[in-house]
Amino acid sequence: MVGSTPEAQHLDCDVVVVGLGPVGLMMSILLGRRGYRVIGFDRWPTPYPLPRAVTYDHEIARILGDLGIDSDNDPAVEFHDDHYLWINKDDEVLLEVDWISQAKDGWRNRYWFDQPALEDRFRLIVSTLPNVTLYQGFEAVSLEQDGSSVTVGYREVEQDGNATKIKEGGKSGTFSARYCLGADGANSFVRKSVGQELVDMNFYYDWLVVDTTPKVYPDYKTAHYQMCITERPTTVVPGGPGNRRWEFMLLPGEDAREMEKPEVIWELLKPFGLDPAVDVLQRGVVWRFQAKYLEKWNHGRVMLAGDAAHLMPPFAGEGMCAGLRDVFNLAWRLDLLMQNKATESLLDQWSDERREHAKWYINFSVGLANVICVLDEAEAAERDAQMIAEHAEQSKLGPVSPHEAVLGEGTWLVGDELAGKPSVQSRVAYKGRTGRFDDVVARGWVLLTSAAAAGQTLADGQLALLDSLGGKVVTIGLPGSGAEVIDVNGTTSTWMADNGVHHILVRPDFYVAFTAADESGLRNAFDTVMSAAGLSAGASV
């Protein structure tokens, strides 16, 4: 349900979501599908019509698959069978990253998308959920909480150029919820209301971000590449179907407003073959790339996610990805709490997991920037020589594989080197259906046991606990193994055999909670993880 104005002074709901970008919209969907009443609002009267993020990785493709959005067959999404190249001023390759291959979760390493179109898809899904109501053009003006609820005050606003102002005669009031999510961006009102400030890593670079729709889609040496040149570091990437993005680093002394002028932008685009007579300039704006994070993300009944909790340079393409991971990790926890099946420690663990994971990507992105943003000729020459030599060695093995981060300590078995990471996913055959495991077998809590260990299982109390969480237990094996789930392409079976494990517990956010080699290890690991989450199986072993 999409509303235009809150009609009552007090609207009680389960969760109020402040900020309706992709992060807030996804949270509204995830909770709405679980049957919770959600109210979301955003201070902008209409959704933002221009792209901000343009890319996401295989993990986000899997998350979107949970919403029914197939990144391999969606009009708002595309992929390119090209590797990602870093090149210098002499067109020498410094680095080649594998953005072609399929990851072990069954999705491609990298996708490109149109953000407004994707957000429209999210809103369409929301329209099918009568328990979710979204309000555009309402800003939060107060936030209070006690031991059982959060109360948010709002007022109606209208657009005033690039800002908003109070709407004369507009509505105002308060409503209460069991929990509140602040997904309201870098200048988050919710974050300020709980008295928190981002930790500043003192990283600042201004870049001109240019989005275009070329009449004829340009064909370059590769679909996506990074120009590591002292004259002006430049990023050239797709911008979703039919669109192209350029990012130009501002040089010392350049004025942001001057650089945003169309005539300046077209001059920068000229070497790439774009023509203002036929091609469309959507937007050119200077963004300040920053690196910041929040130390604690949950404060009583208030949680912070997305840019409200972390900011990172875009060089790894992980900013929006981190925000979507935030809420995909949080939704199942709130579900358990609102069912009175877990303790508030589950939110502390969420904060710890997501903070450290986001910090890894922030540091990774800053590290990339320190290589890309070099303007000194001598330093660039030294960088190029080293990277060319490393690339020559790496080329013997193939392109560099994409990065992989590990969660901070939380609701998984710390010390298990296979846990705290996304689970692998096979194409499987199950009960007459064939497809990705998520689609044809189960999502949520899933315990996979290899066919070779089919007789090993959890104790009765543990099975009852897993069942109360909506969990599923299945055996998986190669054709001819007798397993109920047939591992068609062998991805999971091979992964288990290579790592010497027979059991994997996968969480609702697709992360591995633990692995085990035998029944004793399985039962001990299950109790450890569930107890840490405030859950108990009773007399389980």
Side-chain angles (χ1 to χ4, degrees), residues 130-178:
N131 49 323
V132 179
T133 307
L134 305 184
Y135 298 108
Q136 294 284 159
F138 289 85
E139 67 177 0
V141 295
S142 65
L143 189 153
E144 297 178 353
Q145 63 173 312
D146 55 29
S148 60
S149 66
V150 183
T151 301
V152 179
Y154 64 85
R155 67 184 177 194
E156 191 172 4
V157 297
E158 60 185 358
Q159 193 151 351
D160 182 20
N162 294 324
T164 58
K165 63 180 181 181
I166 299 173
K167 184 175 182 178
E168 186 176 351
K171 295 181 179 293
S172 63
T174 62
F175 52 83
S176 61
R178 297 167 72 179

Side-chain angles (χ1 to χ4, degrees), residues 52-55 84 99 110 112 203 205 207 209 226 235 237 245 247 287-291 311-320 361-362 364-366 368-369 372-373 403:
R52 287 160 291 184
V54 293
T55 185
Y84 174 43
W99 278 0
R110 183 61 54 176
W112 304 88
F203 175 95
Y205 280 99
W207 282 63
V209 179
Q226 178 66 52
T235 304
V237 294
R245 168 168 288 184
E247 296 170 357
W287 286 347
R288 175 154 291 180
F289 296 168
Q290 304 178 57
L311 298 169
M312 66 184 71
F315 300 110
E318 290 292 329
M320 184 198 72
Y361 274 110
I362 293 171
F364 180 68
S365 299
V366 169
L368 297 180
I372 292 168
C373 301
H403 37 264

Side-chain angles (χ1 to χ4, degrees), residues 425-446:
Q425 179 181 204
S426 294
R427 287 193 63 81
V428 299
Y430 178 69
K431 293 185 176 180
R433 299 179 61 199
T434 302
R436 291 186 177 96
F437 183 96
D438 297 343
D439 297 328
V440 303
V441 181
R443 296 184 175 97
W445 293 96
V446 182

Side-chain angles (χ1 to χ4, degrees), residues 210-271:
V210 177
D211 289 301
T212 69
T213 304
K215 182 178 181 181
V216 178
Y217 200 76
D219 183 19
Y220 302 127
K221 67 177 64 180
T222 180
H224 18 62
Y225 59 102
Q226 178 66 52
M227 300 173 65
C228 301
I229 53 176
T230 56
E231 291 81 0
R232 186 185 301 278
T234 301
T235 304
V236 186
V237 294
N243 298 322
R244 263 276 167 193
R245 168 168 288 184
W246 281 262
E247 296 170 357
F248 302 98
M249 180 177 161
L250 266 62
L251 303 178
E254 290 184 328
D255 179 74
R257 302 291 78 81
E258 184 70 21
M259 295 297 293
E260 291 176 343
K261 292 181 177 179
E263 60 269 25
V264 174
I265 294 172
W266 283 115
E267 193 64 27
L268 290 171
L269 292 174
K270 189 175 181 180

Side-chain angles (χ1 to χ4, degrees), residues 270-478:
K270 189 175 181 180
F272 300 95
L274 266 72
D275 183 352
V278 295
D279 299 319
V280 176
L281 174 62
Q282 295 182 25
R283 177 264 309 274
V285 62
V286 172
W287 286 347
R288 175 154 291 180
F289 296 168
Q290 304 178 57
K292 299 180 180 181
Y293 67 91
L294 192 62
E295 191 63 44
K296 185 171 175 58
W297 296 19
N298 62 307
H299 301 272
R301 291 181 168 268
V302 177
M303 281 68 65
L304 294 151
D307 286 355
H310 47 76
L311 298 169
M312 66 184 71
F315 300 110
E318 290 292 329
M320 184 198 72
C321 297
L324 296 183
R325 290 187 187 98
D326 295 343
V327 292
F328 204 64
N329 188 322
L330 177 60
W332 61 265
R333 298 171 187 270
L334 286 180
D335 183 30
L336 290 178
L337 285 168
M338 290 189 286
Q339 293 184 68
N340 297 315
K341 291 182 177 180
T343 67
E344 297 291 335
S345 64
L346 208 58
L347 296 181
D348 295 329
Q349 293 172 8
W350 168 75
S351 175
D352 291 342
E353 285 187 1
R354 291 301 313 137
R355 180 191 64 248
E356 295 307 308
H357 196 273
K359 281 172 63 178
W360 188 95
Y361 274 110
I362 293 171
N363 287 322
F364 180 68
S365 299
V366 169
L368 297 180
N370 290 336
V371 176
I372 292 168
C373 301
V374 173
L375 299 179
D376 181 79
E377 289 286 354
E379 184 181 351
E382 183 179 350
R383 173 202 64 194
D384 292 359
Q386 179 180 343
M387 293 186 71
I388 289 171
E390 292 172 349
H391 174 62
E393 288 300 310
Q394 176 66 40
S395 295
K396 299 174 184 177
L397 304 174
V400 175
S401 298
H403 37 264
E404 181 179 65
V406 180
L407 295 174
E409 292 189 15
T411 319
W412 57 282
L413 188 62
V414 177
D416 183 342
E417 294 184 356
L418 303 175
K421 304 174 185 177
S423 62
V424 301
Q425 179 181 204
S426 294
R427 287 193 63 81
V428 299
Y430 178 69
K431 293 185 176 180
R433 299 179 61 199
T434 302
R436 291 186 177 96
F437 183 96
D438 297 343
D439 297 328
V440 303
V441 181
R443 296 184 175 97
W445 293 96
V446 182
L447 176 61
L448 293 89
T449 293
S450 72
Q456 301 176 9
T457 188
L458 296 168
D460 290 345
Q462 294 175 317
L463 288 170
L465 173 56
L466 187 61
D467 183 67
S468 74
L469 301 178
K472 188 178 184 72
V473 180
V474 297
T475 59
I476 186 167
L478 297 171

